[in-house]
Amino acid sequence: MITRMSELFVRTLRDDPADAEVPSHRWLVRAGYIRRAAPGIYTWLPLGYRVLRNVERIVREEMDAIGAQEVHFPALLPREPYEATGRWTEYGPSLFRLKDRKGGDYLLGPTHEEMFALLVKDLYSSYKDLPLSLYQIQTKYRDEARPRAGILRGREFIMKDSYSFDIDDAGLQKSYDLHRGAYIKIFQRLGLEVVIVAAMSGAMGGSASEEFLAVAENGEDTFVRSPGGYAANVEAVRTNPPEPVPFDGAPTAHVEDTPDTPTIESLVSVANQRVPRADRPWQASDTLKNVVVMVKGADGTRTPLAIGIPGDRDVDLKRLAAQLEPAEPEPFTEDDFRAHPRLVKGYIGPAALGESSASKIRYLVDPRVAEGTRWVTGANEPGKHVFDLVAGRDFTPDGTIEAADIREGDPAPDGSGPLQLARGMEMGHVFQLGRKYSEALGLKVLDSNGKLVTVTMGSYGVGVSRAVAAVAEATCDDKGLSWPRQIAPFQVHIVAAGKDEPILLAAQDLARKLDDAGIPVLLDDRKASPGVKFADAEILGMPTVVVVGRSLAEGTIELRDRKSGQRDNIAVDEVFDRLLDAVRGTDSAA
Ligand code: ATP
Ligand code: MG
């Protein structure tokens, strides 16, 4: 079937959508690939849907290739399984919850660990049935706090999620490695430059986890890399604590007047004037800054938390949030300070903090605040700081927390060199879940000795709809979309540039030949002017544009490469072969 522009359900738009933040969003809307139905909820139009199905095809092929089997769950799910694992509440406000007419609780699935575990529990009972990997390509729902950039972060989106079931950890490792390998191939085929980074497992629970980030300036994730090959999502970076320092000879702590020093800069400057050090000037990294936040639990409770970090660093809210998940940090308000009068704003010190202190406020410190380290920090009185306060001697925090920001040049935790910061978009995520879900839901099988053992699980996701946006983002230019062959809606876009009968006939003839050869072809047979058609061809972004126009009289047709912009005049009878060559050697054939 030749698709004709005169009939295709598409309108290209002159203007950017008002809410467009990134080029992919702008072009996908302007080129008539997607249309907003509600915030974070999009309709796929014919061209967009073809791209989406091409991405799905690639994902499906690679999942099938590792022996995973496709199933399809409902999106509307009962509460009970999610209640059993705690996620009905833990998922917090991102979960779409709803009631049926009888008052029963339901949810729209944000991810399906529970359902897959129960399905396998339903049908399997022996180690002989394992290993097993199941997957689906399905619509997911998450009431994202900030739906963004069109389909890049939607509230309804399409994910490929798979789950592996194994009898032991070695089996899980194997299933994990298979998925990891499949993901590498998927993103390679999509033409996305991805970096695999160590990740936090977050609300999902479990242990080892890695993310596949598409390198992109507009990405929401910050990750780090070192020259020696270390790579991690910024949330997952662990700080190596320094060796404990002996403090036998350390002076006793002393409180000093440091008037008007609510900030680290003011403190450092006053300390250098009033309490100068013999060896070198005080610097921000000598100070211990204590930041208080409120931690909002999934059940709505608010508990104060104090975080101690070296004064030259800031608390990174995303890193902090990742540590607290599923609870969330909230700012400590003036009202909160009034409710906790022991906390003197700007001068909070360790003596007022800790579960065993009078305030009972949990106090977690940066790993750099190691035993024996000496600090200048708040004395819990306005205008006063305490000097030479030694960790492990003068105060003992309740534990450590990775909440300080990561800086360009910080050492990689594995010693592989200074860290470099970059941004990316999360395209996929692989988790070794372990037994969290199978335990909660009672997924056990008999092992070879007839003993019941809990199945160990992995969980693996690819953002299928997000991939459409990510590829668009990586390939578009200032004229419009520019699809790689693997997922382009059509391989060839033929523009009949002129009203003469021979032009239209030649264009149609070429379209028919390509169509007969199984090559998806779009024919612009509209009555519009060549200029309008060329502009549309650039916005729509098929990899090859064929212009059948005035030069036909001289026996040539123009081929344009959308990506490079290269134009070649080709003899009419060679055009078909040239197009075959261009299309061949790719795994498209949509
Ligand atoms: P993010 O950190 O971007 O919110 P996530 O870690 O919550 O993603 P996972 O639960 O790991 O997401 O889901 C697997 C994949 O689904 C992600 O790697 C991403 O590609 C995709 N995905 C997640 N949330 C969305 C969304 N709101 N819109 C589109 N794709 C999404
Ligand atoms: Mg993730």
Side-chain angles (χ1 to χ4, degrees):
M1 249 275 290
I2 302 166
T3 303
R4 295 165 190 273
M5 275 296 277
S6 58
E7 292 163 1
L8 182 63
F9 186 61
V10 65
R11 279 284 172 278
T12 55
L13 308 176
R14 247 173 235 255
D15 297 316
D16 291 339
D19 57 345
E21 286 176 50
V22 300
S24 59
H25 181 199
R26 182 161 75 224
W27 289 122
L28 286 169
V29 173
R30 280 186 57 184
Y33 279 63
I34 57 170
R35 209 61 208 150
R36 196 176 92 138
I41 305 180
Y42 283 79
T43 307
W44 296 91
L45 304 186
L47 289 172
Y49 203 48
R50 287 181 75 101
V51 179
L52 180 71
R53 283 182 308 183
N54 285 339
V55 174
E56 287 181 359
R57 173 179 44 80
I58 289 175
V59 170
R60 199 168 262 129
E61 283 172 10
E62 295 303 338
M63 293 316 297
D64 292 346
I66 60 165
Q69 300 173 58
E70 187 169 7
V71 296
H72 199 81
F73 273 88
L76 180 62
L77 304 172
R79 168 177 177 161
E80 292 70 26
Y82 287 77
E83 189 66 58
T85 56
R87 285 212 292 186
W88 173 261
T89 12
E90 274 181 19
Y91 223 96
S94 297
L95 191 65
F96 278 105
R97 302 171 179 86
L98 58 159
K99 283 199 188 293
D100 71 2
R101 62 170 75 202
K102 294 186 190 130
D105 282 317
Y106 287 81
L107 62 121
L108 295 175
T111 165
H112 279 68
E113 280 73 10
E114 285 83 350
M115 302 311 293
F116 276 81
L118 286 177
L119 181 67
V120 175
K121 179 185 173 182
D122 238 8
L123 297 176
Y124 274 7
S125 57
S126 162
Y127 74 98
K128 289 181 198 150
D129 298 324
L130 305 180
L132 171 71
S133 280
L134 298 175
Y135 78 98
Q136 64 175 345
I137 295 179
Q138 220 244 14
T139 307
K140 296 279 192 264
Y141 296 86
R142 294 181 186 179
D143 197 358
E144 298 275 356
R146 258 178 29 89
R148 177 182 171 264
I151 52 173
L152 208 51
R153 178 175 298 283
R155 297 198 295 164
E156 175 182 295
F157 59 97
I158 296 170
M159 195 202 287
K160 185 288 298 175
D161 47 329
S162 31
Y163 305 85
S164 64
F165 302 87
D166 282 279
I167 190 79
D168 54 21
D169 292 349
L172 170 59
Q173 186 65 47
K174 228 166 136 182
S175 300
Y176 182 89
D177 291 342
L178 280 173
H179 274 89
R180 198 177 185 276
Y183 278 27
I184 292 172
K185 288 191 186 147
I186 287 169
F187 297 121
Q188 235 165 29
R189 287 179 65 181
L190 291 174
L192 283 172
E193 183 199 348
V194 296
V195 179
I196 303 176
V197 304
M200 297 269 300
S201 358
M204 210 69 105
S207 52
S209 132
E210 287 170 297
E211 284 168 358
F212 290 69
L213 301 183
V215 181
E217 276 171 35
N218 290 323
E220 284 182 282
D221 288 280
T222 309
F223 69 97
V224 296
R225 294 193 253 206
S226 78
Y230 174 83
N233 192 313
V234 116
E235 279 101 315
V237 177
R238 294 285 152 275
T239 312
N240 281 336
E243 289 296 311
V245 191
F247 50 78
D248 296 343
T252 42
H254 45 110
V255 174
E256 304 286 346
D257 280 324
T258 50
D260 282 332
T261 51
T263 63
I264 297 296
E265 296 72 45
S266 54
L267 171 61
V268 168
S269 121
V270 168
N272 279 321
Q273 284 160 28
R274 302 180 70 124
V275 201
R277 261 178 92 121
D279 53 344
R280 60 165 171 82
W282 293 108
Q283 52 199 35
S285 55
D286 299 320
T287 69
L288 174 60
K289 172 160 78 179
N290 297 299
V291 178
V292 276
V293 295
M294 276 292 179
V295 179
K296 190 171 163 209
D299 56 0
T301 53
R302 289 172 92 243
T303 324
L305 170 69
I307 298 154
I309 60 170
D312 62 331
R313 304 222 170 221
D314 290 317
V315 169
D316 178 329
L317 274 180
K318 274 184 123 179
R319 269 168 60 75
L320 174 62
Q323 300 300 322
L324 299 178
E325 224 178 286
E328 286 168 20
E330 286 188 350
F332 208 79
T333 63
E334 291 302 327
D335 279 347
D336 292 325
F337 273 107
R338 273 190 285 278
H340 294 90
R342 282 172 210 279
L343 301 180
V344 184
K345 201 176 172 185
Y347 300 91
I348 302 171
L353 303 171
E355 282 168 342
S356 57
S357 75
S359 76
K360 303 221 165 27
I361 295 177
R362 188 166 166 75
Y363 182 40
L364 302 176
V365 297
D366 185 81
R368 294 173 191 84
V369 187
E371 190 168 300
T373 52
R374 251 196 265 177
W375 301 95
V376 179
T377 186
N380 303 303
E381 270 184 75
K384 286 188 195 298
H385 279 89
V386 54
F387 286 65
D388 292 311
L389 198 74
V390 175
R393 181 190 74 177
D394 303 322
F395 69 102
T396 310
D398 299 314
T400 59
I401 189 166
E402 291 281 358
D405 54 9
I406 303 294
R407 302 260 170 91
E408 185 96 21
D410 281 350
D414 64 354
S416 58
L419 294 178
Q420 252 186 356
L421 289 165
R423 297 187 74 79
M425 302 175 189
E426 186 185 320
M427 304 311 306
H429 201 160
V430 289
F431 284 100
Q432 295 194 13
L433 281 180
R435 297 178 179 81
K436 174 177 164 167
Y437 291 85
S438 37
E439 228 147 55
L441 298 164
L443 170 55
K444 296 180 175 131
V445 294
L446 290 172
D447 72 6
S448 54
N449 303 316
K451 210 175 91 219
L452 268 180
V453 290
T454 303
V455 170
T456 180
M457 288 174 62
S459 152
Y460 317 90
V462 171
V464 173
S465 50
R466 179 176 286 183
V468 174
V471 174
E473 186 73 24
T475 53
C476 70
D477 58 21
D478 56 353
K479 298 194 188 78
L481 299 165
S482 172
W483 295 107
R485 293 214 176 272
Q486 316 82 271
I487 61 168
F490 295 96
Q491 294 298 313
V492 180
H493 184 153
I494 303 177
V495 175
K499 295 199 187 74
D500 305 344
E501 189 72 9
I503 288 180
L504 203 59
L505 285 177
Q508 273 172 3
D509 183 52
L510 181 60
R512 189 160 308 119
K513 269 194 186 153
L514 291 166
D515 186 55
D516 287 346
I519 295 171
V521 57
L522 178 62
L523 171 64
D524 196 345
D525 59 343
R526 293 175 300 173
K527 297 213 159 57
S529 74
V532 165
K533 292 184 177 182
F534 294 153
D536 276 352
E538 281 182 323
I539 292 185
L540 296 184
M542 304 320 144
T544 304
V545 178
V546 177
V547 181
V548 185
R550 243 178 279 152
S551 71
L552 187 66
E554 289 116 52
T556 68
I557 284 176
E558 188 182 87
L559 301 197
R560 295 184 183 176
D561 184 75
R562 173 63 185 87
K563 190 171 166 206
S564 68
Q566 189 178 318
R567 300 175 179 197
D568 293 306
N569 274 311
I570 310 292
V572 174
D573 54 2
E574 282 171 30
V575 167
F576 179 71
D577 286 341
R578 281 290 286 263
L579 289 171
L580 275 189
D581 282 350
V583 173
R584 211 181 287 149
T586 71
D587 64 355
S588 71

